[in-house]
């Protein structure tokens, strides 16, 4: 996580100040619940809330931790400095450090997911806007990087919209799955703390009680969360790669917006490089880099070890901050992206009429020609288009066997572009629920 690829709202979720504030809220709400149960005096629970508006001193906590070598104990010591040693003596009653650490982590992940969902909504809005704008803008579809058959630029944006909409659904599910808390004590048995305390704390923090924890919340939940972030990152790269290919000089069907005063190259003043989408490809790699460690965190010794802890201190902020930045950058790229419809038609016509080969093939088979013979008849003309840049329709009209099978009018009819776009409205209705 570096400032260049970070947005302040997401960074704030992972700041030490935010973390200690959540720790405090966990401890204070737990005291309230224990007081309600008669486990600790009500006045002691109320005293903890004296620190409600305190900005905990990170440097002071670090100073204490340098001696205690334990971050939660260092925090509790500092809390007692604000509340009073006698008043704070029931804080953390029956709890273990992971009760605080794991519940806090999940609060942070839920808050991070909420910000990521905002970013996804911006991407979806940009994709929908451009899809509607270019629903009927014809361009050539490519498979293996080679001209295949006509499609539209709107369909390109629409398929990315559908992909991101699936990702939004995945993220909502991942958010739900990770939104649990555990205040269950040393090995999760509630031996020293009532389950009602956990229920109260979770309710106050917007979480659900973890049905069964050990000393930690099960890490399969977190593995699923980070795996979802990895899938979203891959979809970002999928869109970014398409834009990068469209911006190639030989293609130039679309391009990133190039602002006044922007420079593309230190050496070549003519350059307009797809730097934003190249950056998105790199950021996607960084997010995916966190997925395998999260999965490896699932397997812990017995009721727990802390092999997961150091990993999560890194991947929690790194994955969410990076993905948050990437989503907002992608939304901006799509929203301001330049589209060149004339170049799309020029590219399609570099090999005149060739994209209609399947229509001719199918017509020949329907006219009684065997598929093998039909394929041969079409291919021998298609190859001349490849090699000599001749017009496919004119070649077919000069091929006696093709004319005999289809007739002149039927051949000409096979070059109607509308044939390939006749179901665009149907596809749009499936994707957007409207025509």
């Amino acid at each position: 996580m570096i400032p260049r690829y970070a947005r302040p709202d997401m960074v704030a979720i992972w700041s030490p100040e935010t973390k200690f504030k959540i720790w405090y809220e966990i401890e204070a709400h737990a005291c309230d619940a224990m007081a309600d149960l008669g486990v600790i005096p009500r006045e002691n629970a109320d005293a903890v809330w004296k620190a409600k508006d305190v900005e905990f001193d990170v440097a002071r906590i670090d100073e204490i931790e340098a001696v205690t070598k334990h971050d939660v104990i260092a925090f509790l010591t500092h809390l007692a400095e604000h509340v009073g040693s006698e008043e704070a003596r029931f804080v953390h009653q029956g709890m273990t450090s992971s009760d605080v650490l794991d519940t806090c982590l999940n609060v942070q992940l839920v808050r991070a997911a909420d910000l990521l969902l905002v970013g996804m909504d911006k991407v979806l809005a940009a994709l929908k806007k451009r899809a509607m704008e270019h629903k009927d803008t014809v361009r050539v579809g490519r498979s293996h990087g080679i001209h295949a058959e006509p499609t539209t630029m709107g369909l390109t944006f629409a398929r990315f919209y559908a992909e991101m909409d699936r990702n939004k659904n995945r993220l909502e599910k991942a958010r739900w799955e990770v939104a649990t808390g555990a205040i269950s004590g040393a090995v999760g048995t509630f031996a020293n703390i009532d389950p009602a305390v956990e229920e109260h704390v979770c309710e106050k923090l917007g979480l659900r009680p973890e049905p069964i924890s050990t000393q930690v919340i099960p890490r399969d939940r977190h593995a699923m969360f980070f795996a979802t972030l990895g899938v979203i990152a891959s979809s970002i790269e999928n869109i970014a790669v398409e834009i990068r290919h469209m911006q190639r000089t030989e293609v130039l069907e679309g391009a990133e917006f190039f602002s006044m005063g922007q420079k593309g190259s230190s050496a070549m003043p003519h350059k307009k490089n797809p730097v934003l989408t190249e950056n998105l490809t790199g950021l996607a790699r960084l997010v995916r880099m966190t997925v395998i460690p999260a999965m490896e965190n699932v397997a812990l010794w017995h009721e727990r070890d802390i092999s997961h802890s150091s990993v999560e201190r890194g991947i929690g902020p790194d994955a969410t901050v990076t993905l948050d930045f990437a989503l907002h950058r992608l939304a901006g790229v799509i929203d301001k992206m330049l589209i060149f419809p004339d170049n799309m038609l020029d590219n399609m016509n570099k090999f005149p009429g060739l994209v209609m080969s399947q229509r001719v093939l199918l017509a020949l088979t329907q006219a009684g020609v065997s598929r093998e013979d039909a394929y041969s008849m079409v291919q021998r003309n298609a190859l001349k288009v490849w090699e000599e840049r001749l017009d496919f329709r004119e070649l077919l009209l000069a091929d006696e066997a093709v004319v005999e099978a289809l007739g002149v009018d039927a051949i000409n009819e096979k070059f109607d572009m509308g044939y390939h776009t006749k179901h665009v409205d149907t596809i749009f209705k499936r994707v957007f629920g409207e025509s």
Side-chain angles (χ1 to χ4, degrees), residues 354-366:
L354 197 59
V355 293
M356 303 300 186
S357 71
Q358 184 179 189
R359 281 208 73 192
V360 180
L361 170 66
L362 296 177
L364 286 168
T365 61
Q366 291 166 355

Side-chain angles (χ1 to χ4, degrees), residues 135-246:
K135 182 173 72 170
D136 300 313
T137 303
V138 176
R139 68 186 293 238
V140 69
R142 298 169 173 89
S143 56
H144 304 274
I146 308 300
H147 285 198
E149 292 191 349
T151 183
T152 76
M153 190 67 225
L155 288 176
T156 300
F157 284 122
R159 68 180 168 88
F160 289 141
Y161 177 95
E163 183 173 346
M164 276 300 180
D165 192 47
R166 292 191 296 274
N167 281 328
K168 180 182 178 182
N169 182 258
R170 291 174 183 128
L171 182 56
E172 287 170 341
K173 290 179 179 177
R175 180 198 184 280
W176 181 88
E177 186 166 342
V178 83
T180 66
I183 311 291
S184 55
V187 292
T189 61
F190 297 101
N192 296 301
I193 193 165
D194 194 290
V197 176
E198 180 182 78
E199 293 170 5
H200 178 82
V201 172
C202 287
E203 180 185 0
K204 292 296 184 180
L205 296 176
L207 305 176
R208 306 181 314 281
E210 180 62 45
I212 178 169
S213 54
T214 55
Q215 199 171 76
V216 294
I217 292 173
R219 255 45 192 183
D220 61 286
R221 293 186 181 277
H222 304 79
M224 193 65 236
F225 185 89
F226 286 98
T228 299
L229 302 193
V231 173
I232 296 170
S234 293
S235 293
I236 289 174
E237 183 177 13
N238 188 25
I239 300 170
V241 166
E242 177 67 21
I243 296 171
R244 289 167 60 194
H245 277 306
M246 280 196 283

Side-chain angles (χ1 to χ4, degrees), residues 3 24 32 63 66 76 94 97 106 126 129 145 151 162 186 274 310 410 432:
Y24 166 72
D32 270 349
E63 179 186 1
L76 294 173
S97 297
N106 283 8
K129 184 186 82 169
T151 183
S310 56
F432 300 109

